[in-house]
Amino acid sequence: MQNTFKNLILALFSLVGARLIVMYYFPLTDSTEARYANTALMMAKLNDWISPYYDYGVPFWGKPPLSFWAEALSYKFLGISDFAPRLPSLFISLVTAWLMYHFVKTLTNTKSALWSVIIYFGMLLSFQLSGAVLTDPFLAFSTTLSLVAFMLFTLKGKRSWEYLFFIGLGLGLLAKGPLALVIVGGILFLWMFPSIKTRFAQLRQLPWIKGTLLMVCISLPWYIIAEMKTPGFLNYFIIGEHFGRFLDAGWHGDKYGYVHKNPHGAIWLMWLAASLPWGLSAFFFGYQSLHQHTQKEVFFKLFKNPILCLLIIWALFLVLFFTLASNVIWTYILPSLPAFAILLALLLNQNEGSLIQKYSKVIAFNIYLVPVVSLIGLVIVAWFPNLVMSEKYLIASYRHHTSSQEPIYFLEKKSFSSMYYMNEPIQTTSLEAFNDLNLSNESHYFVVVNKGDEKHITQQIDLHKVYSSKSYVLYEVKNTFLNIEK
C-alpha cells in the first residue's frame, strides 16, 4: 500500500464505512449488548436519568450511566432501532481516534497520525466495540483523554490541556467507575520509575487541587443521588464489581452476568486476539526495525524518552494488571489499544515509512482483513440468523403469526434481546406451572422455551413450532390452560 495521504484517507473511510454497515444490519445480541441496549431504552422511556434499569422495577447496578445517557439520547433523536444505541459508541470511538490523531500529529506528522487511527480501527476488538452497545468505548475515551492531556500539557507544554486530564478522570468515573482511576494512576505510577525525581516533578505541574475538585464535581453527585435513590448500589458496585469480581475466581455475586473463569495469564491470549491482525505483525515489524540495535540502545531510547516510556506502559498496563485475575474478558483490553496503535504507527513511519514501502502487501492485508471478514460474517448471519444469540427474528415471527395480540410467555427465563425487541414487559411462567393442566384460562397463546428445557415438557397439548433460534423455540399453543407468574 502506498503511503500517501489519499490512500490513508480511503483506508480510514473504508474501515468506518464497513463498521456503519455492520452496525445497521447486525441484530443486537445476548447477553451484554442487548442488556445494555434495553437498559438505555428503559431510561429513555421512563425519563429516569439517575438509575438505569434492566427490567421494569429492577435497577441495574453493574455500571455507571455515561453510556446509557448517550444511548438514551440517541433513542430520543433517532427512535428505536438496532442502530440508535450503537451510534454513541462509534461517535465516542471517533473522538478517541481524534485524540490519538492530534497527539501523534503534534509529536511527528500527519501521516503517522493517520496510521495510528487506521491501526486502531483495524484491530479486531476496537473495530467491534466501536459500534457496540457497551461501556468500554467510553472508558477507553476517558483514559485516552486523560493520558493524552497529560502528555500534551506536561511533556509538550500545551497549557490548554491541563484540566482535560481531570475531566477525563471524571468522565471515566461515570463511564465505568474507579477502574478509570486505577488505569491512569497505575500507568503514571510505573512511568515514574526510570527517573523518579524528574518525572515526579513533571507530575506536580498538573493543577491537582483545582483539577481534583473538577473531577469530583463531574462524577460524585451522581454516585450520591444514585445511592439515595436505590440503597445498596455503592456496596454492590464498589465492593462487588471492583474487588469480588477480580479477587475471587469463583465470585457468584454478579447479579447480571456470569463468572468468566479463565486460567491465570489468559489475558495475554486475549490481547493477541483483540489486536489481530496488527498485534502479531507488530512482533515482525519490531524485529525488522530493531534487530540492528543493541539491547542497551533500545532500552535507552524507549524508557529514557518520557513519551515513549509512557506509551509502552500504557500499552502493557492492563495486560499486566489482569494477568493474575481469572474473571476476565477480552473487552478489558480496549483502553490499552490506543497506545499500541500509536507505538506501531511511529514504528512503521520511521525512516520515511521504509517498513510500509517494503511490506506494502502485508500492511494492506492487515488494514482490510477485519472489515472484510465482518462484512462476510454479516452476509452469513443474514442467511443463517440462528448462528447468533439474538431473539430479534423470534419476536418478529411472533408478531407475524399473532392475529389478535395473543399473549406470549417465556418458560423460566427471558433473554435480554427478547426484552428489547418486545419493547414491553414480558411475562414468564415456571415449567412446573406450564406442565400442570389444571391452571388458568388462556386458550390461545405463544410460549418460548429454552432448547435445554424442551425435553422436560410433559403436558399433552397442541404445540405448534413457529420459529427456532439458537437458544429458544417459539411455540403456538391452543386449547389448554396456563398459570402465569408475572
Side-chain angles (χ1 to χ4, degrees):
M1 177 179 179
Q2 291 183 340
N3 191 20
T4 65
F5 184 80
K6 181 179 178 180
N7 286 334
L8 294 178
I9 292 295
L10 177 62
L12 181 57
F13 271 87
S14 298
L15 288 165
V16 176
R19 194 65 191 99
L20 282 167
I21 293 171
V22 176
M23 285 167 54
Y24 189 85
Y25 289 104
F26 203 84
L28 291 167
T29 56
D30 286 309
S31 60
T32 306
E33 192 180 27
R35 178 177 66 205
Y36 290 174
N38 192 59
T39 299
L41 179 58
M42 292 191 67
M43 179 176 281
K45 289 168 61 178
L46 299 173
N47 280 315
D48 185 338
W49 302 89
I50 301 299
S51 297
Y53 288 85
Y54 85 100
D55 201 353
Y56 289 88
V58 184
F60 179 63
W61 287 347
K63 297 292 182 291
L66 184 60
S67 61
F68 301 131
W69 287 340
E71 292 149 10
L73 287 173
S74 184
Y75 283 125
K76 292 284 189 179
F77 286 104
L78 300 178
I80 301 172
S81 66
D82 295 345
F83 183 77
R86 287 171 167 160
L87 185 60
S89 288
L90 178 63
F91 174 78
I92 208 69
S93 297
L94 289 171
V95 178
T96 302
W98 180 85
L99 289 169
M100 297 166 55
Y101 173 86
H102 180 76
F103 170 71
V104 177
K105 184 179 179 182
T106 302
L107 200 64
T108 55
N109 54 59
T110 301
K111 283 186 179 179
S112 294
L114 282 172
W115 270 111
S116 70
V117 174
I118 290 168
I119 293 169
Y120 181 68
F121 271 105
M123 287 185 282
L124 179 60
L125 182 64
S126 46
F127 181 86
Q128 287 193 349
L129 297 195
S130 64
V133 192
L134 293 171
T135 58
D136 302 272
F138 290 83
L139 175 64
F141 158 74
S142 303
T143 55
T144 301
L145 175 59
S146 288
L147 292 167
V148 165
F150 171 76
M151 288 187 285
L152 288 177
F153 167 66
T154 305
L155 305 179
K156 299 296 290 184
K158 303 288 185 179
R159 296 198 62 84
S160 58
W161 290 78
E162 59 184 327
Y163 287 106
L164 288 173
F165 173 82
F166 298 96
I167 291 174
L169 293 179
L171 293 175
L173 287 168
L174 290 176
K176 208 160 185 176
L179 181 60
L181 302 182
V182 173
I183 294 172
V184 175
I187 290 170
L188 294 179
F189 176 76
L190 295 177
W191 171 77
M192 287 193 298
F193 276 92
S195 182
I196 294 178
K197 185 176 180 180
T198 300
R199 294 185 181 179
F200 181 73
Q202 292 173 319
L203 271 173
R204 290 183 61 187
Q205 296 178 38
L206 288 167
W208 285 102
I209 296 177
K210 292 182 180 179
T212 301
L213 287 174
L214 177 61
M215 176 190 74
V216 169
C217 289
I218 290 171
S219 58
L220 189 59
W222 176 82
Y223 280 87
I224 295 174
I225 297 171
E227 174 65 22
M228 293 172 62
K229 190 169 184 291
T230 57
F233 156 69
L234 287 178
N235 179 67
Y236 175 82
F237 180 66
I238 301 298
I239 305 301
E241 287 282 329
H242 290 84
F243 293 96
R245 175 181 294 276
F246 302 113
L247 297 180
D248 182 2
W251 183 56
H252 297 289
D254 195 335
K255 294 177 177 291
Y256 315 105
Y258 56 92
V259 175
H260 306 275
K261 193 171 183 179
N262 294 294
H264 295 305
I267 195 72
W268 290 90
L269 294 177
M270 294 179 184
W271 182 89
L272 285 175
S275 62
L276 285 174
W278 290 101
L280 288 175
S281 299
F283 291 105
F284 173 75
F285 293 137
Y287 174 79
Q288 291 295 316
S289 176
L290 303 175
H291 75 281
Q292 295 180 346
H293 302 277
T294 65
Q295 293 181 351
K296 184 177 180 180
E297 289 175 330
V298 173
F299 177 85
F300 182 84
K301 180 179 180 180
L302 296 182
F303 288 94
K304 294 300 180 181
N305 183 309
I307 290 180
L308 289 177
C309 180
L310 194 146
L311 288 170
I312 292 169
I313 295 171
W314 178 6
L316 295 176
F317 177 76
L318 283 172
V319 186
L320 294 170
F321 182 76
F322 288 117
T323 293
L324 296 180
S326 295
N327 191 13
V328 294
I329 53 178
W330 75 326
T331 57
Y332 295 167
I333 297 166
L334 183 66
S336 69
L337 294 184
F340 171 73
I342 291 171
L343 285 168
L344 185 53
L346 296 176
L347 175 66
L348 291 177
N349 279 280
Q350 67 178 1
N351 299 325
E352 298 183 351
S354 59
L355 285 173
I356 296 174
Q357 298 173 16
K358 186 176 181 180
Y359 300 104
S360 59
K361 292 183 179 179
V362 174
I363 300 274
F365 175 83
N366 284 355
I367 291 173
Y368 295 107
L369 175 64
V370 169
V372 168
V373 170
S374 297
L375 291 173
I376 292 173
L378 179 64
V379 173
I380 293 173
V381 169
W383 282 97
F384 305 101
N386 291 349
L387 292 175
V388 296
M389 293 179 62
S390 177
E391 307 316 317
K392 176 178 182 177
Y393 303 108
L394 183 147
I395 298 301
S397 180
Y398 158 70
R399 296 192 188 283
H400 176 74
H401 284 85
T402 184
S403 57
S404 57
Q405 296 300 312
E406 290 85 1
I408 183 172
Y409 306 102
F410 275 67
L411 287 193
E412 301 293 347
K413 185 179 180 181
K414 53 192 175 184
S415 68
F416 291 107
S417 61
S418 63
M419 295 164 62
Y420 178 78
Y421 287 110
M422 278 297 295
N423 192 23
E424 62 186 56
I426 291 180
Q427 300 181 85
T428 61
T429 185
S430 69
L431 185 62
E432 180 182 4
F434 180 71
N435 284 327
D436 190 339
L437 292 175
N438 301 313
L439 300 173
S440 189
N441 58 358
E442 294 285 357
S443 61
H444 185 196
Y445 58 92
F446 290 81
V447 65
V448 180
V449 184
N450 189 295
K451 286 186 174 181
D453 291 330
E454 282 187 289
K455 59 181 178 292
H456 299 301
I457 297 177
T458 60
Q459 186 179 152
Q460 299 300 312
I461 57 177
D462 181 15
L463 281 175
H464 172 63
K465 183 182 290 188
V466 175
Y467 186 86
S468 178
S469 69
K470 185 174 183 177
S471 303
Y472 291 89
V473 180
L474 172 67
Y475 289 103
E476 184 178 14
V477 185
K478 296 180 180 180
N479 303 320
T480 190
F481 302 96
L482 183 68
N483 183 37
I484 304 304
E485 294 180 350
K486 297 184 179 181

